[in-house]
Amino acid sequence: MCGIVGYIGERQVKPVLLNCLYRLEYRGYDSCGIAVLEGDLAVYKDAVRVKVLDETLPQLIGGRAGIGHTRWATHGEPSQVNAHPHCDCTGKIAVVHNGVISNFQKLRRQLASEGHNFISETDTEVIPHLIEKYYEGDLEKAVAAALREVEGSYAIVVLRADEPKLVVARKDSPLIIAIGDRENFVASDVPAILDYTSRVIYLEDDDIGVVTSDNVKVSQHGVAVARKEHKISWSVKDAQKAGYEHFMLKEIHEQPKVIRDTIGGYISATEPIASLAMAGDTGLEDMLILACGTSYHAALVGKYMMEELLRVAVRTELASEFSYCGQTSAGSRVLVITQSGETADALKAIKKLKEEGCRVIVITNVVGSTASRIADQIVYTRAGPEISVAATKSFVAQLMALYWLALPYAKIDIRRLDSLVMGLRQLPGKVQRVLDNEAVISEYAQQLSKYENVFFIGRGVNFPVALEGALKLKEISYIHAEGYAAGELKHGPFALLGSDTPVVAIVAQDNTYEAMLTNIKEVKARRSPVIALVEEGNEEVKEVADSVITVPQVDVIFSPVVNTVVLQLLAYYAAEQRGCPIDFPRNLAKSVTVE
Ligand code: F6R
């Protein structure tokens, strides 16, 4: 989604802003722009990629302070006028904004009646006009007065002609200030500034900051507040492609390490089980898990796994639906899974849960993210920065966190528990073996890439894997894909089966096995080609499916991990074959900061 950058210091501002914008491209955008302070303000923007902006900017742009933005259209189509930065009537005030101003129409009417001239369709444009209205020589005060009128969510950076400073503010949309040596940066997320510094301050809701090259001042409602500085452990290398064609492929290949790092952060070598338990806990009672998209699929895997191991009832809800259906009781414990920690639907759900007196445990990959700061308890995954829009390694890391949360409370005998802990430790090697089979998987992907519709089916703990396989395929290859519980196909989707609609069947060696075999036969009887994922050593499925991709043997509880990696590779190579922009699929954004 939209990205924000800002710089003030001794460097030439143009290359710094462009470099930061390149680093934000992964978030997904349709337009971009910069405003630089060269005495006056100069604004350059259009509905183009950063590279095109870079190539068309005048060579000689001076200035040591500026702001930049990548826009993901919400109000008004992608166009030059709708791109950020937006200015006031005088052209002296420029603003970049992430979020949504919900009362912008009312503000716009009112400002227009006072003589302000609007040129864009955006909600953002009211902000520079409000600042203009309240400006009496003090930019910080004018920003504060403007924001008092504004409803909705925002992270903004404001630049005014002749004033060498950046004024920043946030509410319900992330914003950081990054500290350098006689220079400072502003960004909506960390990868933007990793080339320059790893020292970061996370702004809180209602903070207003004034940033100069050698000072940062933050206040709330006019009172100065101290905000802690954090050291970011991710390196620039983590956020680069490292020789891979796409971030997605690199991130798929990082998964053995991600599993090792995430599990390593939880389990000590000497006391594996004792160190799993959360301090002071006696057990996990019935559970609610909330999430969106791929993280929701992790939640569903968690449900099947916890219900089996813990024998408790686990409810899952889409965070985006929770406002309409969520019933909780005060004091109950709720798990929220969000890779970015910034998804608007997840944050809204967390706020509702907290108002209702629930205790919220957040599983997130981003230290310092909004979700991590409002949670009662945080479980960090250690996937490193995930740049590709399609979630891969963060999903597998979420599964590790769920196993870790569940295992200490498993109502199973000690021998099974020992074998599960050992199985967890062996998972990186098993995933590596899936990756070693990449060439075979890519051949099947090439076959799939020729179709326009694909079904994925699974049962039990592999039903969510079918959903995830379908989501990955549709989002990056644009092939229409549906994930189904295998038993549900005959309740309607059978009408769509035929020789032009292949089915990917995930077959696990558990109590779902016989039923899956029957389902494959039913599908074959409707002439759909079947690609089956089966455990190594299985000969039976080869007899009924058209093709078989084998996965290493693991406890069925861990089968979602190895199966998902196969489906990620299938999606990747199908998209590659179709020439799709894999890391930045159309219309999508990495972190979805609007409802
Ligand atoms: C799909 C994908 C999305 C995210 C969803 C939730 O590949 O990445 O479906 O999983 O937007 O994002 P987080 O986990 O950041 O809340």
Side-chain angles (χ1 to χ4, degrees), residues 292-295 337-341 343 389-391 398 471-472 475 590 592:
C292 301
T294 289
S295 298
I337 308 177
T338 167
Q339 179 278 128
S340 62
T343 300
V389 164
Q398 288 165 351
L471 179 61
K472 282 295 89 89
E475 70 181 324
K590 183 66 189 164
V592 185

mmCIF file with all atom_site columns, all heavy atoms in Angstrom, residues 292-295 337-341 343 389-391 398 471-472 475 590 592, ligand 1:
data_model
loop_
_atom_site.group_PDB
_atom_site.id
_atom_site.type_symbol
_atom_site.label_atom_id
_atom_site.label_alt_id
_atom_site.label_comp_id
_atom_site.label_asym_id
_atom_site.label_entity_id
_atom_site.label_seq_id
_atom_site.pdbx_PDB_ins_code
_atom_site.Cartn_x
_atom_site.Cartn_y
_atom_site.Cartn_z
_atom_site.occupancy
_atom_site.B_iso_or_equiv
_atom_site.pdbx_formal_charge
_atom_site.auth_seq_id
_atom_site.auth_comp_id
_atom_site.auth_asym_id
_atom_site.auth_atom_id
_atom_site.pdbx_PDB_model_num
ATOM   1   N N   . CYS A 1 292 ? -6.223 -12.277 8.621  1.00 0.00 ? 292 CYS A N   1
ATOM   2   C CA  . CYS A 1 292 ? -6.704 -12.047 7.243  1.00 0.00 ? 292 CYS A CA  1
ATOM   3   C C   . CYS A 1 292 ? -5.814 -12.807 6.264  1.00 0.00 ? 292 CYS A C   1
ATOM   4   O O   . CYS A 1 292 ? -4.629 -13.009 6.522  1.00 0.00 ? 292 CYS A O   1
ATOM   5   C CB  . CYS A 1 292 ? -6.570 -10.569 6.865  1.00 0.00 ? 292 CYS A CB  1
ATOM   6   S SG  . CYS A 1 292 ? -7.459 -9.454  7.922  1.00 0.00 ? 292 CYS A SG  1
ATOM   7   N N   . GLY A 1 293 ? -6.379 -13.140 5.123  1.00 0.00 ? 293 GLY A N   1
ATOM   8   C CA  . GLY A 1 293 ? -5.608 -13.679 3.995  1.00 0.00 ? 293 GLY A CA  1
ATOM   9   C C   . GLY A 1 293 ? -4.807 -14.912 4.359  1.00 0.00 ? 293 GLY A C   1
ATOM   10  O O   . GLY A 1 293 ? -5.297 -15.846 5.000  1.00 0.00 ? 293 GLY A O   1
ATOM   11  N N   . THR A 1 294 ? -3.540 -14.897 3.945  1.00 0.00 ? 294 THR A N   1
ATOM   12  C CA  . THR A 1 294 ? -2.658 -16.036 4.228  1.00 0.00 ? 294 THR A CA  1
ATOM   13  C C   . THR A 1 294 ? -2.539 -16.280 5.732  1.00 0.00 ? 294 THR A C   1
ATOM   14  O O   . THR A 1 294 ? -2.500 -17.430 6.185  1.00 0.00 ? 294 THR A O   1
ATOM   15  C CB  . THR A 1 294 ? -1.272 -15.764 3.598  1.00 0.00 ? 294 THR A CB  1
ATOM   16  O OG1 . THR A 1 294 ? -1.423 -15.879 2.181  1.00 0.00 ? 294 THR A OG1 1
ATOM   17  C CG2 . THR A 1 294 ? -0.235 -16.753 4.071  1.00 0.00 ? 294 THR A CG2 1
ATOM   18  N N   . SER A 1 295 ? -2.492 -15.219 6.508  1.00 0.00 ? 295 SER A N   1
ATOM   19  C CA  . SER A 1 295 ? -2.397 -15.393 7.965  1.00 0.00 ? 295 SER A CA  1
ATOM   20  C C   . SER A 1 295 ? -3.635 -16.106 8.494  1.00 0.00 ? 295 SER A C   1
ATOM   21  O O   . SER A 1 295 ? -3.565 -16.845 9.480  1.00 0.00 ? 295 SER A O   1
ATOM   22  C CB  . SER A 1 295 ? -2.246 -14.032 8.654  1.00 0.00 ? 295 SER A CB  1
ATOM   23  O OG  . SER A 1 295 ? -1.055 -13.424 8.227  1.00 0.00 ? 295 SER A OG  1
ATOM   24  N N   . ILE A 1 337 ? -3.147 -13.086 14.319 1.00 0.00 ? 337 ILE A N   1
ATOM   25  C CA  . ILE A 1 337 ? -1.949 -13.356 13.509 1.00 0.00 ? 337 ILE A CA  1
ATOM   26  C C   . ILE A 1 337 ? -1.864 -12.306 12.401 1.00 0.00 ? 337 ILE A C   1
ATOM   27  O O   . ILE A 1 337 ? -2.789 -12.162 11.607 1.00 0.00 ? 337 ILE A O   1
ATOM   28  C CB  . ILE A 1 337 ? -2.004 -14.763 12.871 1.00 0.00 ? 337 ILE A CB  1
ATOM   29  C CG1 . ILE A 1 337 ? -2.299 -15.827 13.945 1.00 0.00 ? 337 ILE A CG1 1
ATOM   30  C CG2 . ILE A 1 337 ? -0.692 -15.081 12.167 1.00 0.00 ? 337 ILE A CG2 1
ATOM   31  C CD1 . ILE A 1 337 ? -2.439 -17.241 13.388 1.00 0.00 ? 337 ILE A CD1 1
ATOM   32  N N   . THR A 1 338 ? -0.777 -11.571 12.360 1.00 0.00 ? 338 THR A N   1
ATOM   33  C CA  . THR A 1 338 ? -0.585 -10.571 11.304 1.00 0.00 ? 338 THR A CA  1
ATOM   34  C C   . THR A 1 338 ? 0.907  -10.408 11.041 1.00 0.00 ? 338 THR A C   1
ATOM   35  O O   . THR A 1 338 ? 1.641  -9.933  11.917 1.00 0.00 ? 338 THR A O   1
ATOM   36  C CB  . THR A 1 338 ? -1.264 -9.219  11.616 1.00 0.00 ? 338 THR A CB  1
ATOM   37  O OG1 . THR A 1 338 ? -0.782 -8.227  10.706 1.00 0.00 ? 338 THR A OG1 1
ATOM   38  C CG2 . THR A 1 338 ? -1.067 -8.737  13.038 1.00 0.00 ? 338 THR A CG2 1
ATOM   39  N N   . GLN A 1 339 ? 1.318  -10.830 9.859  1.00 0.00 ? 339 GLN A N   1
ATOM   40  C CA  . GLN A 1 339 ? 2.727  -10.758 9.484  1.00 0.00 ? 339 GLN A CA  1
ATOM   41  C C   . GLN A 1 339 ? 3.249  -9.336  9.650  1.00 0.00 ? 339 GLN A C   1
ATOM   42  O O   . GLN A 1 339 ? 4.228  -9.096  10.333 1.00 0.00 ? 339 GLN A O   1
ATOM   43  C CB  . GLN A 1 339 ? 2.855  -11.220 8.026  1.00 0.00 ? 339 GLN A CB  1
ATOM   44  C CG  . GLN A 1 339 ? 4.236  -11.212 7.429  1.00 0.00 ? 339 GLN A CG  1
ATOM   45  C CD  . GLN A 1 339 ? 4.715  -9.864  6.923  1.00 0.00 ? 339 GLN A CD  1
ATOM   46  O OE1 . GLN A 1 339 ? 5.808  -9.425  7.288  1.00 0.00 ? 339 GLN A OE1 1
ATOM   47  N NE2 . GLN A 1 339 ? 3.926  -9.185  6.117  1.00 0.00 ? 339 GLN A NE2 1
ATOM   48  N N   . SER A 1 340 ? 2.566  -8.393  9.024  1.00 0.00 ? 340 SER A N   1
ATOM   49  C CA  . SER A 1 340 ? 3.041  -7.005  9.009  1.00 0.00 ? 340 SER A CA  1
ATOM   50  C C   . SER A 1 340 ? 2.796  -6.289  10.330 1.00 0.00 ? 340 SER A C   1
ATOM   51  O O   . SER A 1 340 ? 3.489  -5.346  10.673 1.00 0.00 ? 340 SER A O   1
ATOM   52  C CB  . SER A 1 340 ? 2.320  -6.234  7.904  1.00 0.00 ? 340 SER A CB  1
ATOM   53  O OG  . SER A 1 340 ? 0.918  -6.216  8.179  1.00 0.00 ? 340 SER A OG  1
ATOM   54  N N   . GLY A 1 341 ? 1.773  -6.732  11.037 1.00 0.00 ? 341 GLY A N   1
ATOM   55  C CA  . GLY A 1 341 ? 1.379  -6.010  12.252 1.00 0.00 ? 341 GLY A CA  1
ATOM   56  C C   . GLY A 1 341 ? 0.708  -4.684  11.948 1.00 0.00 ? 341 GLY A C   1
ATOM   57  O O   . GLY A 1 341 ? 0.501  -3.855  12.832 1.00 0.00 ? 341 GLY A O   1
ATOM   58  N N   . THR A 1 343 ? -2.015 -4.515  9.342  1.00 0.00 ? 343 THR A N   1
ATOM   59  C CA  . THR A 1 343 ? -3.245 -4.709  8.581  1.00 0.00 ? 343 THR A CA  1
ATOM   60  C C   . THR A 1 343 ? -4.407 -4.036  9.307  1.00 0.00 ? 343 THR A C   1
ATOM   61  O O   . THR A 1 343 ? -4.685 -4.349  10.471 1.00 0.00 ? 343 THR A O   1
ATOM   62  C CB  . THR A 1 343 ? -3.504 -6.217  8.397  1.00 0.00 ? 343 THR A CB  1
ATOM   63  O OG1 . THR A 1 343 ? -2.393 -6.744  7.686  1.00 0.00 ? 343 THR A OG1 1
ATOM   64  C CG2 . THR A 1 343 ? -4.777 -6.495  7.642  1.00 0.00 ? 343 THR A CG2 1
ATOM   65  N N   . VAL A 1 389 ? 4.971  -9.379  -2.410 1.00 0.00 ? 389 VAL A N   1
ATOM   66  C CA  . VAL A 1 389 ? 3.606  -9.166  -1.920 1.00 0.00 ? 389 VAL A CA  1
ATOM   67  C C   . VAL A 1 389 ? 2.987  -10.485 -1.437 1.00 0.00 ? 389 VAL A C   1
ATOM   68  O O   . VAL A 1 389 ? 2.313  -10.536 -0.408 1.00 0.00 ? 389 VAL A O   1
ATOM   69  C CB  . VAL A 1 389 ? 2.747  -8.500  -3.021 1.00 0.00 ? 389 VAL A CB  1
ATOM   70  C CG1 . VAL A 1 389 ? 1.265  -8.629  -2.714 1.00 0.00 ? 389 VAL A CG1 1
ATOM   71  C CG2 . VAL A 1 389 ? 3.119  -7.026  -3.139 1.00 0.00 ? 389 VAL A CG2 1
ATOM   72  N N   . ALA A 1 390 ? 3.230  -11.561 -2.174 1.00 0.00 ? 390 ALA A N   1
ATOM   73  C CA  . ALA A 1 390 ? 2.655  -12.856 -1.771 1.00 0.00 ? 390 ALA A CA  1
ATOM   74  C C   . ALA A 1 390 ? 3.401  -13.392 -0.551 1.00 0.00 ? 390 ALA A C   1
ATOM   75  O O   . ALA A 1 390 ? 4.626  -13.530 -0.568 1.00 0.00 ? 390 ALA A O   1
ATOM   76  C CB  . ALA A 1 390 ? 2.758  -13.842 -2.923 1.00 0.00 ? 390 ALA A CB  1
ATOM   77  N N   . ALA A 1 391 ? 2.658  -13.689 0.498  1.00 0.00 ? 391 ALA A N   1
ATOM   78  C CA  . ALA A 1 391 ? 3.284  -14.187 1.729  1.00 0.00 ? 391 ALA A CA  1
ATOM   79  C C   . ALA A 1 391 ? 3.715  -15.634 1.544  1.00 0.00 ? 391 ALA A C   1
ATOM   80  O O   . ALA A 1 391 ? 2.944  -16.461 1.060  1.00 0.00 ? 391 ALA A O   1
ATOM   81  C CB  . ALA A 1 391 ? 2.291  -14.081 2.871  1.00 0.00 ? 391 ALA A CB  1
ATOM   82  N N   . GLN A 1 398 ? 4.686  -18.402 10.852 1.00 0.00 ? 398 GLN A N   1
ATOM   83  C CA  . GLN A 1 398 ? 3.480  -18.344 11.712 1.00 0.00 ? 398 GLN A CA  1
ATOM   84  C C   . GLN A 1 398 ? 3.102  -19.746 12.190 1.00 0.00 ? 398 GLN A C   1
ATOM   85  O O   . GLN A 1 398 ? 2.711  -19.933 13.344 1.00 0.00 ? 398 GLN A O   1
ATOM   86  C CB  . GLN A 1 398 ? 2.313  -17.726 10.941 1.00 0.00 ? 398 GLN A CB  1
ATOM   87  C CG  . GLN A 1 398 ? 2.474  -16.229 10.709 1.00 0.00 ? 398 GLN A CG  1
ATOM   88  C CD  . GLN A 1 398 ? 1.524  -15.692 9.649  1.00 0.00 ? 398 GLN A CD  1
ATOM   89  O OE1 . GLN A 1 398 ? 0.843  -16.445 8.953  1.00 0.00 ? 398 GLN A OE1 1
ATOM   90  N NE2 . GLN A 1 398 ? 1.485  -14.373 9.515  1.00 0.00 ? 398 GLN A NE2 1
ATOM   91  N N   . LEU A 1 471 ? -4.911 -19.455 -3.145 1.00 0.00 ? 471 LEU A N   1
ATOM   92  C CA  . LEU A 1 471 ? -4.645 -18.013 -3.007 1.00 0.00 ? 471 LEU A CA  1
ATOM   93  C C   . LEU A 1 471 ? -3.321 -17.643 -3.672 1.00 0.00 ? 471 LEU A C   1
ATOM   94  O O   . LEU A 1 471 ? -3.234 -16.660 -4.414 1.00 0.00 ? 471 LEU A O   1
ATOM   95  C CB  . LEU A 1 471 ? -4.638 -17.614 -1.518 1.00 0.00 ? 471 LEU A CB  1
ATOM   96  C CG  . LEU A 1 471 ? -4.339 -16.145 -1.222 1.00 0.00 ? 471 LEU A CG  1
ATOM   97  C CD1 . LEU A 1 471 ? -5.387 -15.229 -1.845 1.00 0.00 ? 471 LEU A CD1 1
ATOM   98  C CD2 . LEU A 1 471 ? -4.265 -15.886 0.279  1.00 0.00 ? 471 LEU A CD2 1
ATOM   99  N N   . LYS A 1 472 ? -2.285 -18.466 -3.412 1.00 0.00 ? 472 LYS A N   1
ATOM   100 C CA  . LYS A 1 472 ? -0.973 -18.155 -4.015 1.00 0.00 ? 472 LYS A CA  1
ATOM   101 C C   . LYS A 1 472 ? -1.071 -18.163 -5.529 1.00 0.00 ? 472 LYS A C   1
ATOM   102 O O   . LYS A 1 472 ? -0.572 -17.266 -6.195 1.00 0.00 ? 472 LYS A O   1
ATOM   103 C CB  . LYS A 1 472 ? 0.090  -19.182 -3.591 1.00 0.00 ? 472 LYS A CB  1
ATOM   104 C CG  . LYS A 1 472 ? 0.684  -19.053 -2.230 1.00 0.00 ? 472 LYS A CG  1
ATOM   105 C CD  . LYS A 1 472 ? 1.511  -17.831 -1.943 1.00 0.00 ? 472 LYS A CD  1
ATOM   106 C CE  . LYS A 1 472 ? 0.648  -16.720 -1.428 1.00 0.00 ? 472 LYS A CE  1
ATOM   107 N NZ  . LYS A 1 472 ? 0.418  -16.623 -0.030 1.00 0.00 ? 472 LYS A NZ  1
ATOM   108 N N   . GLU A 1 475 ? -3.206 -15.113 -6.911 1.00 0.00 ? 475 GLU A N   1
ATOM   109 C CA  . GLU A 1 475 ? -2.696 -13.745 -6.754 1.00 0.00 ? 475 GLU A CA  1
ATOM   110 C C   . GLU A 1 475 ? -1.484 -13.455 -7.617 1.00 0.00 ? 475 GLU A C   1
ATOM   111 O O   . GLU A 1 475 ? -1.304 -12.328 -8.053 1.00 0.00 ? 475 GLU A O   1
ATOM   112 C CB  . GLU A 1 475 ? -2.443 -13.398 -5.280 1.00 0.00 ? 475 GLU A CB  1
ATOM   113 C CG  . GLU A 1 475 ? -1.296 -14.096 -4.631 1.00 0.00 ? 475 GLU A CG  1
ATOM   114 C CD  . GLU A 1 475 ? -1.136 -13.706 -3.162 1.00 0.00 ? 475 GLU A CD  1
ATOM   115 O OE1 . GLU A 1 475 ? -1.368 -12.544 -2.815 1.00 0.00 ? 475 GLU A OE1 1
ATOM   116 O OE2 . GLU A 1 475 ? -0.754 -14.587 -2.367 1.00 0.00 ? 475 GLU A OE2 1
ATOM   117 N N   . LYS A 1 590 ? 1.371  -4.947  -0.168 1.00 0.00 ? 590 LYS A N   1
ATOM   118 C CA  . LYS A 1 590 ? 1.968  -5.822  0.838  1.00 0.00 ? 590 LYS A CA  1
ATOM   119 C C   . LYS A 1 590 ? 1.274  -5.712  2.179  1.00 0.00 ? 590 LYS A C   1
ATOM   120 O O   . LYS A 1 590 ? 0.936  -6.705  2.793  1.00 0.00 ? 590 LYS A O   1
ATOM   121 C CB  . LYS A 1 590 ? 3.461  -5.516  0.987  1.00 0.00 ? 590 LYS A CB  1
ATOM   122 C CG  . LYS A 1 590 ? 4.193  -6.447  1.967  1.00 0.00 ? 590 LYS A CG  1
ATOM   123 C CD  . LYS A 1 590 ? 4.219  -7.861  1.445  1.00 0.00 ? 590 LYS A CD  1
ATOM   124 C CE  . LYS A 1 590 ? 4.738  -8.853  2.451  1.00 0.00 ? 590 LYS A CE  1
ATOM   125 N NZ  . LYS A 1 590 ? 4.413  -10.240 2.078  1.00 0.00 ? 590 LYS A NZ  1
ATOM   126 N N   . VAL A 1 592 ? -1.986 -4.146  4.090  1.00 0.00 ? 592 VAL A N   1
ATOM   127 C CA  . VAL A 1 592 ? -3.259 -3.554  3.700  1.00 0.00 ? 592 VAL A CA  1
ATOM   128 C C   . VAL A 1 592 ? -3.748 -2.657  4.841  1.00 0.00 ? 592 VAL A C   1
ATOM   129 O O   . VAL A 1 592 ? -4.392 -3.108  5.779  1.00 0.00 ? 592 VAL A O   1
ATOM   130 C CB  . VAL A 1 592 ? -4.289 -4.643  3.344  1.00 0.00 ? 592 VAL A CB  1
ATOM   131 C CG1 . VAL A 1 592 ? -5.567 -4.031  2.823  1.00 0.00 ? 592 VAL A CG1 1
ATOM   132 C CG2 . VAL A 1 592 ? -3.705 -5.581  2.291  1.00 0.00 ? 592 VAL A CG2 1
HETATM 133 C C1  . F6R B 2 .   ? -1.357 -13.195 0.467  1.00 0.00 ? 1   F6R B C1  1
HETATM 134 C C2  . F6R B 2 .   ? -1.067 -12.175 1.460  1.00 0.00 ? 1   F6R B C2  1
HETATM 135 C C3  . F6R B 2 .   ? -2.210 -11.544 2.171  1.00 0.00 ? 1   F6R B C3  1
HETATM 136 C C4  . F6R B 2 .   ? -1.860 -11.290 3.639  1.00 0.00 ? 1   F6R B C4  1
HETATM 137 C C5  . F6R B 2 .   ? -2.993 -10.496 4.318  1.00 0.00 ? 1   F6R B C5  1
HETATM 138 C C6  . F6R B 2 .   ? -2.744 -10.314 5.803  1.00 0.00 ? 1   F6R B C6  1
HETATM 139 O O1  . F6R B 2 .   ? -0.182 -13.724 -0.091 1.00 0.00 ? 1   F6R B O1  1
HETATM 140 O O2  . F6R B 2 .   ? 0.062  -11.827 1.693  1.00 0.00 ? 1   F6R B O2  1
HETATM 141 O O3  . F6R B 2 .   ? -3.362 -12.318 2.060  1.00 0.00 ? 1   F6R B O3  1
HETATM 142 O O4  . F6R B 2 .   ? -1.661 -12.517 4.270  1.00 0.00 ? 1   F6R B O4  1
HETATM 143 O O5  . F6R B 2 .   ? -3.100 -9.251  3.695  1.00 0.00 ? 1   F6R B O5  1
HETATM 144 O O6  . F6R B 2 .   ? -1.556 -9.636  6.037  1.00 0.00 ? 1   F6R B O6  1
HETATM 145 P P1  . F6R B 2 .   ? -0.908 -9.579  7.484  1.00 0.00 ? 1   F6R B P1  1
HETATM 146 O O7  . F6R B 2 .   ? -0.472 -10.956 7.844  1.00 0.00 ? 1   F6R B O7  1
HETATM 147 O O8  . F6R B 2 .   ? 0.231  -8.622  7.340  1.00 0.00 ? 1   F6R B O8  1
HETATM 148 O O9  . F6R B 2 .   ? -1.972 -9.090  8.429  1.00 0.00 ? 1   F6R B O9  1
#
